[in-house]
């Protein structure tokens, strides 16, 4: 984890991703300090997001497809 201008970033796949706190995005209280901890990488097309999480209970790969209109 690196920090520049108060923004935490992680290196992943040759990219620097801004590290967002998932609990904060969902309006939940923080359970861990801002130190090192697990992160979840979410991909949608060419976009990637890094989400800081409290813990990882299991790991799985999923594919989500559109249902049409």
């Amino acid at each position: 984890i690196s920090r520049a201008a108060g923004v935490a970033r992680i290196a992943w796949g040759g990219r620097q991703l801004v590290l967002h706190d998932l609990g904060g995005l969902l309006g939940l209280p923080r359970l861990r300090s801002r130190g090192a901890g697990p992160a979840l990488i979410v991909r949608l097309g060419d976009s990637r997001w890094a989400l800081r999480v409290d813990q990882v209970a299991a790991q799985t790969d999923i594919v989500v497809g559109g249902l049409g209109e």
Side-chain angles (χ1 to χ4, degrees), residues 40-57:
L40 176 70
I41 305 298
V42 178
R43 179 179 77 172
L44 176 62
D46 291 334
S47 299
R48 308 282 190 281
W49 295 277
L51 303 172
R52 182 188 312 265
V53 296
D54 294 320
Q55 67 181 2
V56 176

Side-chain angles (χ1 to χ4, degrees), residues 1-57:
I1 297 175
S2 64
R3 197 172 284 279
V7 177
R9 297 180 183 272
I10 63 170
W12 185 83
R15 302 177 185 202
Q16 288 289 317
L17 302 176
V18 174
L19 186 58
H20 301 278
D21 181 71
L22 180 58
L25 293 174
L26 297 174
L28 300 172
R30 182 181 313 265
L31 297 179
R32 296 179 61 110
S33 68
R34 289 186 176 242
L40 176 70
I41 305 298
V42 178
R43 179 179 77 172
L44 176 62
D46 291 334
S47 299
R48 308 282 190 281
W49 295 277
L51 303 172
R52 182 188 312 265
V53 296
D54 294 320
Q55 67 181 2
V56 176

